[in-house]
Amino acid sequence: MRSIWNGAISFGLVSIPIKLVNATESHSISFRQIHLEDGGRIRYRKFCELEEKEVASAEIGKGYEAADGAIIPITEEDLASLPIPTARTIEIVAFVPADRIDPLQMDAAYYLSANGVPAAKPYTLLREALKRNKKVAIAKFALRGRERLGMLRVVDDVIAMHGLLWPDEVRAPEEAAPETQVTVREAELDLADALMDTLGEVDMESLHDDYRSAVEEMIEAKASGEGVVEAPAATEGGGKVIDLMAALKSSVKAAKEARGDAAAPEREAKVSPVTPLKSRTAPKEVGGKKSTSTKAKPAASGGGTARKTTARKSAASSRTAAADKASTSKASTSRAGTSPKAGTSSKASTSKASGSKADASKVAAKKTTAKKSPAKKTASRRRAS
């Protein structure tokens, strides 16, 4: 790379000798103006208006045209005598986050190369400091007769500098905005998102200038005497948009076909047309058993509670009857020890009394358990007996 400027980076009290080289190059094809009749070159000659003769480049200087049309000559000595501290120095004035720089301000790009072995250490120090702090340096420098603003950042292992326009050189965007108030619907935004998702990302290295390639092929064909192959007609783009939704849907479809992607993005599904469902028949009832059992659950639970209460009452009556029988038997036994005849008659009366009590208990148990299941009735009878 050929250097276009030699100077130094001023980093506080540290001075880093550097060479400035262009970081970009133009690959555009340039044409010459020719005379159509004979193909002769058309050249621009520099003439002096006063003498009406051609002037050599060595005789041409600079001048500033005043408002009244007068020309004020400006020499190189005049420019060199100006007190510009950045004449041969890239003076760093601040370090800021990269997102503070408006891309509209960015101009030409340059690489800063360390000039000589002594410059390697301070150059590397500045580079690593920029990497570590994730910031860019704002600097002033003079190039081609004027002071400029620059931004220093790290690209791989090299410090790059982007020329920046001064803030007052960037126009306000208000005048470029649409004057008509427009409302954008959510469905339109969803389709725009679907189109963006379909187009996806791209490897910047895969992009190339198709027009330049076509021009080069055409030039080679004409130089070799071959016929020029006509390019296929380009599809019409632009024009008046009649239906924005239809245009977005067509764009999504075309992008899918171009990429060979059959799967629709998730966001497109949100705005896809709704297909009405077919009428469904009512579910067939399996039988009365399922619905009956479902409805009978509350009653069954209530009946179970009633049966439990009845069983408890029956058991209590049985226990009372058994206790009465036991106490009566004990009393009759004690009486039988004194008088056999009295004990015999007492035992008989006691048996009759206990029998009558047992019969009463059985009647009560029968009335209480009349609604029980056969199994429950049998259990209650056994307890009563």
Side-chain angles (χ1 to χ4, degrees):
M1 297 182 184
R2 185 175 63 86
S3 63
I4 60 173
W5 185 88
N6 291 341
I9 300 175
S10 175
F11 178 34
L13 297 178
V14 179
S15 180
I16 309 172
I18 55 97
K19 294 185 294 183
L20 190 70
V21 298
N22 285 318
T24 61
E25 57 186 2
S26 176
H27 291 164
S28 61
I29 299 174
S30 58
F31 298 99
R32 304 294 184 183
Q33 290 185 332
I34 61 171
H35 189 199
L36 293 177
E37 289 188 3
D38 53 15
R41 285 280 304 275
I42 303 297
R43 298 180 182 271
Y44 291 95
R45 300 180 184 272
K46 298 177 180 179
F47 280 79
C48 175
E49 291 182 352
L50 297 179
E51 297 182 2
E52 295 185 352
K53 68 175 184 179
E54 189 176 349
V55 179
S57 297
E59 300 177 11
I60 299 175
K62 295 178 180 179
Y64 177 79
E65 185 177 1
D68 58 356
I71 301 297
I72 303 173
I74 304 295
T75 64
E76 294 295 333
E77 290 75 14
D78 294 334
L79 296 174
S81 63
L82 294 176
I84 302 178
T86 57
R88 286 291 171 183
T89 305
I90 299 175
E91 182 182 356
I92 295 177
V93 297
F95 293 91
V96 299
D99 57 5
R100 289 271 304 275
I101 305 301
D102 189 347
L104 286 173
Q105 288 185 255
M106 291 188 180
D107 199 1
Y110 309 94
Y111 287 138
L112 304 181
S113 174
N115 193 0
V117 176
K121 183 64 179 288
Y123 182 96
T124 305
L125 173 65
L126 176 59
R127 182 191 67 196
E128 295 303 315
L130 290 172
K131 280 185 180 180
R132 182 174 180 177
N133 291 276
K134 297 179 180 179
K135 291 185 176 182
V136 297
I138 304 301
K140 289 182 176 181
F141 67 103
L143 181 65
R144 298 188 179 98
R146 60 182 291 243
E147 190 174 48
R148 301 168 186 263
L149 195 62
M151 179 190 74
L152 277 64
R153 69 184 184 97
V154 178
V155 178
D156 294 336
D157 291 332
V158 178
I159 299 175
M161 182 174 69
H162 295 267
L164 298 179
L165 300 175
W166 296 98
D168 58 356
E169 292 179 321
V170 179
R171 294 178 175 177
E174 284 79 8
E175 296 181 1
E179 297 180 359
T180 306
Q181 294 293 333
V182 178
T183 301
V184 179
R185 295 180 295 168
E186 288 294 328
E188 294 169 341
L189 281 174
D190 291 339
L191 275 174
D193 292 341
L195 179 58
M196 293 171 65
D197 291 342
T198 305
L199 293 176
E201 298 182 359
V202 67
D203 181 10
M204 296 298 291
E205 298 294 332
S206 65
L207 301 178
H208 58 278
D209 189 349
D210 294 331
Y211 177 77
R212 179 170 60 90
S213 301
V215 171
E216 290 175 347
E217 292 177 2
M218 180 263 294
I219 293 174
E220 291 179 0
K222 295 196 75 171
S224 60
E226 299 177 1
V228 179
V229 179
E230 294 185 2
T235 56
E236 293 184 1
K240 186 177 180 180
V241 177
I242 303 221
D243 189 347
L244 182 58
M245 292 289 288
L248 286 170
K249 289 180 181 178
S250 299
S251 299
V252 173
K253 182 179 180 182
K256 283 184 189 177
E257 292 175 353
R259 287 183 171 266
D261 185 10
E266 294 180 0
R267 287 180 178 169
E268 187 187 0
K270 297 179 182 178
V271 294
S272 57
V274 179
T275 304
L277 295 175
K278 296 181 179 179
S279 59
R280 297 181 179 179
T281 57
K284 296 181 179 179
E285 293 183 0
V286 179
K289 293 183 179 179
K290 186 174 182 181
S291 59
T292 305
S293 61
T294 305
K295 293 181 180 179
K297 281 183 179 179
S301 61
T305 305
R307 284 195 294 270
K308 288 179 181 178
T309 305
T310 305
R312 287 173 185 169
K313 289 181 179 179
S314 177
S317 300
S318 301
R319 284 196 295 270
T320 304
D324 292 342
K325 184 177 181 180
S327 59
T328 306
S329 300
K330 188 175 180 181
S332 62
T333 305
S334 60
R335 290 171 188 168
T338 56
S339 175
K341 291 182 179 180
T344 305
S345 62
S346 176
K347 185 175 182 181
S349 61
T350 304
S351 299
K352 290 180 180 179
S354 62
S356 62
K357 288 182 180 179
D359 294 338
S361 299
K362 288 180 181 180
V363 172
K366 286 180 180 180
K367 290 181 179 180
T368 308
T369 58
K371 295 182 181 180
K372 288 185 186 177
S373 60
K376 293 289 183 178
K377 289 181 180 179
T378 304
S380 298
R381 289 172 182 172
R382 287 176 182 173
R383 290 193 195 98
S385 61

